[in-house]
Amino acid sequence: MIIEKSRKEVENLRREKLKREKPLVFEKIMRFPEKVARGESVTMIDLCYDYRCNMHCAHCSNLSLAKKKKVLTIESLKDLSRQADEMGLAQFTISGGEPLTFPDIDDVISALNPEKFHLAMSTNGLLLDKSRAEHLKKIGLDKVKISLDSIDEKIYQQTRGKNEGYKKAIEALFIAREAGLQVNIQTVISHQTCRTPATKQIAEFCQKNLFNFDIMIAKAVGRWEGKEEVLLDEQDVNYLIELKKEYPMLQWDMLPSYGEERGGCACIIKNSHITKYGDFLPCGFIHISMGNIFEEPLKDIIERSFKIKFFHKRNPVCLAGLDRNFIKNYMSKFYGKPLPISWKEAFSADDFIK
């Protein structure tokens, strides 16, 4: 199939590019299958250095976070990078808020040690012009994940709570690629938007331009806290499975990626999140702190997390977005509270692997 061949060619070119530009990172990633086979984490750490933002999105989950005195600094990022490298980890994503509003974003990138890590950035793209994209690439950024919930301008404006920005976001996709950055489009899909022409339209756009189409399914957190009506149902999931067959650039943890035999929820194993205040979360939507990097080594926190039965191996469905039992019995424990709650409050002895 020609379209599938394009996907494989894109992935192979990216691997060769990484091997050429960052050989130390490439070597670590090539060892990932061995680490997983040994029961070790290869987590990509989504890192929220700050929450400042220039948008007001309907699905924002960075709400109700309890402010703490100690926050991430450039020095703490250097230490985190050192610990992650010692564990054989190879990927960070800088998120927010909007990272391009951070006045010290260059220092953040430098502190994470670009020679030893593949670095991505989640951004809305509004502040990403040609010179900035080229500069970010030069100082070690590898990828941008640009938020674009629709290529219908009206839908984009409704979702993002901003009348301008759509054209800048579209332009940023091509500017970033021209600068040598890998480009992913991040799209939040809810039950209300899943099986609609708009979803297929953006999948077509991504396939045509060979942008990775990252699906982020709706979670009942943040501004949607407790609103389970936004969660996908079985028909929605089946629709996305069929959509990927037609548009292979579509990516979703529940579906196997290129080079993988199976998909599934990858909390702790492949994905995790660290807040501005140092709390380590299984993912950015499960507001349960498994420990704080200011209080414990990263290795100890991850090892504890692996002892929880939900995070010991990949689950067949997304815990935060599809597993109604996990949502009802665990995520509901943090509803209405300052976030995140402690793992001690969320889990009991029965939740640990015997």
Side-chain angles (χ1 to χ4, degrees), residues 191 218-220 227-233 236 320-321 324 327:
H191 172 63
K219 318 292 194 303
K227 297 182 179 179
E228 293 192 17
E229 62 269 21
V230 304
L231 303 180
L232 302 193
D233 61 20
D236 297 328
R324 297 306 200 272
I327 294 167

Side-chain angles (χ1 to χ4, degrees), residues 48 87 133 168 191 199 210 233 237 272 281 293 336 351 353:
C48 185
M87 294 179 64
K168 289 183 178 179
H191 172 63
T199 298
L210 294 180
D233 61 20
V237 172
S272 56
L281 314 183
I293 62 168
D351 295 315
I353 295 171

Side-chain angles (χ1 to χ4, degrees), residues 30 45 59 73 97 101 116 150 168 229 271 273 289 333:
M30 289 300 99
I45 299 176
H59 52 258
T73 62
T101 65
K116 294 184 178 181
S150 177
K168 289 183 178 179
E229 62 269 21
N271 298 296
H273 179 88
S289 176
K333 291 181 179 180

Side-chain angles (χ1 to χ4, degrees), residues 46-67 94-99 102 122 160 216 219-225 273-277 281 283-287 334 337-340:
D46 184 76
L47 186 68
C48 185
Y49 182 68
D50 202 349
Y51 293 108
R52 68 180 71 196
C53 193
N54 54 356
M55 278 195 163
H56 191 76
C57 301
H59 52 258
C60 181
S61 61
N62 292 331
L63 302 174
S64 302
L65 282 158
K67 293 184 178 180
I94 305 164
S95 64
E98 170 50 54
F102 303 169
S122 293
R160 294 284 158 179
M216 300 178 66
K219 318 292 194 303
V221 298
R223 294 195 174 97
W224 284 345
E225 185 173 278
H273 179 88
I274 294 179
T275 73
K276 174 181 178 178
Y277 306 105
L281 314 183
C283 84
F285 305 103
I286 299 177
H287 294 145
F334 61 67
K337 297 179 181 179
L339 303 176

